[in-house]
Amino acid sequence: MFKLTNKSVIITGGGSGIGKAMAVLFAQQGAEVHIIELNDQAAADTVSEITAAGGKATGYACDVSKQQQVIDTFAKVGKIDILINNAGIAHIGRADNTSTEDFERVFNVNVKGAYNCLYVAIPALKTNGGGVILNTASIAASVGITDRFAYSMSKGAIHAMTLSVARDYLHDNIRCNCISPARVHTPFVDGFIAKNYAGREDEIFEKLSKSQPIGRMGKPEEVAALALYLCSDEAGFITGTDYPIDGGFITLNN
Ligand SMILES: NC(=O)c1ccc[n+]([C@@H]2O[C@H](COP(=O)([O-])OP(=O)(O)OC[C@H]3O[C@@H](n4cnc5c(N)ncnc54)[C@H](O)[C@@H]3O)[C@@H](O)[C@H]2O)c1
């Protein structure tokens, strides 16, 4: 089960955290992995790890918020079977203290970046007879999280785009779902704790761990396992759905 032999997979942001865990697992399952990354060194490191283990992977330097770069990069990749829109950035703030610059930066990467990849990938998937799209949303798409105004906006958009794409390409044999992790321990989390809570790192790490009723943060490998299932042929009956992976965050926080 869950074999991806001969499948060509694009993973945006595959150089770090959740995207990296997906890249490693998908390659282990036989996929040819294409990592699209702003940080080309991170992409190269992941590619080296995969090829050293006998897998197939290539890295591409690309900013997903720039449509022409996405068009050029997808042209280099060629045939694709699976697109994972995973690249994303964090932001802390409320509606009345989020600057226009920050709002637009989060929008450009998290929303427009996903749109740019959908815009280019869908015609290629249709030509190919179908495929799978998996978008990375967040629990912030469906729960009010303190101080996450712009970020929540961007993840709500990811959820809505997922429903729209799933509906529009039902008859093109394209399945589209999204996943909504709660806190997962990645450089993304360490980075925003360091940036926003300097000197209180341990206290905030503990607080963020406890905000999942299960008592800890998720692991990137756990999210990658869900992604593998949703992108595999075994999940052929699943489209237009959001999958929380959240240690009980949405349903048990009472
Ligand atoms: N870690 C969490 O707690 C958590 C929870 C819910 C959702 N998510 C989402 O999961 C996804 C991955 O998060 P992560 O924690 O692995 O983050 P991460 O920061 O560890 O990795 C994200 C990667 O995306 C790349 N990236 C950023 N902007 C890019 C751009 N414009 N073009 C191409 N690549 C770009 C970065 O270089 C980085 O390697 C994000 O969409 C994030 O919003 C994370």
Side-chain angles (χ1 to χ4, degrees), residues 74-220:
F74 277 57
K76 286 183 208 151
V77 170
K79 172 190 171 268
I80 59 167
D81 301 290
I82 299 169
L83 166 67
I84 303 187
N85 275 316
N86 163 80
I89 56 173
H91 182 260
I92 308 279
R94 301 182 305 272
D96 64 349
N97 64 6
T98 296
S99 66
T100 304
E101 291 72 29
D102 281 354
F103 184 87
E104 287 179 351
R105 191 169 47 83
V106 172
F107 180 86
N108 284 337
V109 177
N110 294 9
V111 182
K112 202 168 158 217
Y115 149 72
N116 284 337
C117 294
L118 292 167
Y119 180 78
V120 182
I122 288 170
L125 292 172
K126 283 169 77 172
T127 307
N128 215 6
V132 186
I133 297 167
L134 185 65
N135 298 319
T136 308
S138 161
I139 48 145
S142 53
V143 175
I145 309 282
T146 308
D147 262 344
R148 297 291 187 283
F149 172 71
Y151 183 75
S152 302
M153 167 280 298
S154 72
K155 295 305 183 176
I158 289 286
H159 185 205
M161 282 195 276
T162 300
L163 300 179
S164 166
V165 167
R167 164 67 74 179
D168 281 341
Y169 306 99
L170 265 177
H171 301 298
D172 294 297
N173 197 29
I174 297 174
R175 298 190 295 108
C176 181
N177 295 294
C178 61
I179 53 175
S180 282
R183 193 68 56 204
V184 179
H185 189 201
T186 66
F188 178 94
V189 172
D190 294 334
F192 87 66
I193 294 179
K195 181 169 168 228
N196 296 285
Y197 303 99
R200 296 172 58 205
E201 286 89 350
D202 291 348
E203 174 204 339
I204 298 295
F205 187 90
E206 183 74 4
K207 192 172 159 214
L208 292 178
S209 298
K210 295 258 167 59
S211 66
Q212 283 70 230
I214 213 164
R216 64 171 175 88
M217 297 190 196
K219 299 174 192 161

